[in-house]
Amino acid sequence: EAMRILETEGLVEVRRGKSGGIFVATDLVPSVAIFTAVKLEEEAAIDVLRARRVLERAVAQEAMRVATPADFVELERTVDLLERHLGERPSVMRADAMFHRALVRSCRNETIQAAMRGVGRGLAPIRDAYSGGVSYDRQTLDVHRRQLAAMRGRDESELDAVLDEHFRMLETQFAKGIGRRWAEVFGVRAS
């Protein structure tokens, strides 16, 4: 992200190919331009995390309503895969992504799938920025299991509570990463 910001601001040049690399384009570093670019990136990340809350909640509710037994089997398979790979970050991240894709597919709606692809692209760099660890993997596993149970039981209030916990996991890490508290970034906004 830092290199992309520097390139966007014209401070470095990225050349592809055999003789490619990253080259300094200028020695003049306008700090205000870098600050502005970083602030825009931060706001974009906050926007995508807020959009996730709205859209993924609606996806889970729709999936709860229309998912078939085969859809639930597929979701369970991804949760089992996550459990088998606790502590192996790349495998856990793949299993987590598989869970979310299976959830979206279970809605059987192309428009919903397209919207969630956009959210997924926006979330990827945010998710990749955090290291996880076995305890975080176990928390993810627990949340996915409880989400699946709430959906199977058609328990809307439990699903809403689990989703809130799930969303807060990444939101809290993000807020901490930018030196702020969750409530400052994602809490109720003043009118």
Side-chain angles (χ1 to χ4, degrees), residues 1-6 8-9 11 30-46 174 177-178 180:
E1 285 296 306
M3 293 308 293
R4 193 171 63 73
I5 290 170
L6 293 173
T8 301
E9 293 303 317
L11 302 173
S31 59
V32 90
I34 292 174
F35 174 79
T36 301
V38 168
K39 197 70 177 154
L40 287 173
E41 290 291 325
E42 186 178 294
E43 290 303 317
I46 292 168
F174 174 80
I178 62 171
R180 295 168 69 190

Side-chain angles (χ1 to χ4, degrees), residues 1-165:
E1 285 296 306
M3 293 308 293
R4 193 171 63 73
I5 290 170
L6 293 173
E7 182 182 22
T8 301
E9 293 303 317
L11 302 173
V12 298
E13 181 182 338
V14 178
R15 295 184 207 142
R16 309 221 184 281
K18 194 174 186 178
S19 61
I22 299 173
F23 302 90
V24 175
T26 179
D27 291 334
L28 302 172
V29 179
S31 59
V32 90
I34 292 174
F35 174 79
T36 301
V38 168
K39 197 70 177 154
L40 287 173
E41 290 291 325
E42 186 178 294
E43 290 303 317
I46 292 168
D47 281 354
V48 79
L49 287 165
R50 286 185 178 140
R52 175 191 185 207
R53 268 190 175 267
V54 172
L55 296 175
E56 193 172 318
R57 176 173 278 117
V59 165
Q61 290 169 346
E62 179 67 3
M64 180 173 62
R65 194 177 70 73
V66 301
T68 66
D71 293 326
F72 285 116
V73 167
E74 179 61 19
L75 286 162
E76 186 69 43
R77 187 183 72 76
T78 67
V79 173
D80 292 343
L81 186 63
L82 192 153
E83 184 174 30
R84 282 195 304 273
H85 294 284
L86 290 174
E88 300 169 22
R89 179 148 172 82
S91 296
V92 166
M93 295 296 284
R94 275 192 300 277
D96 181 63
M98 288 170 64
F99 176 87
H100 288 91
R101 284 192 304 269
L103 180 67
V104 172
R105 277 193 312 273
S106 71
C107 291
R108 294 186 172 44
N109 183 303
E110 289 298 320
T111 303
I112 290 172
Q113 290 181 34
M116 289 307 293
R117 277 192 294 275
V119 170
R121 280 190 299 275
L123 284 175
I126 300 167
R127 291 175 67 228
D128 291 347
Y130 299 101
S131 60
V134 176
S135 65
Y136 191 81
D137 293 352
R138 287 187 193 285
Q139 188 179 7
T140 300
L141 175 65
D142 177 60
V143 163
H144 284 311
R145 286 217 184 278
R146 289 186 290 125
Q147 178 178 343
L148 193 50
M151 289 171 61
R152 277 188 168 138
R154 308 240 191 271
D155 187 338
E156 288 186 40
S157 62
E158 177 61 19
L159 178 60
D160 198 48
V162 171
L163 288 172
D164 183 61
E165 182 181 338

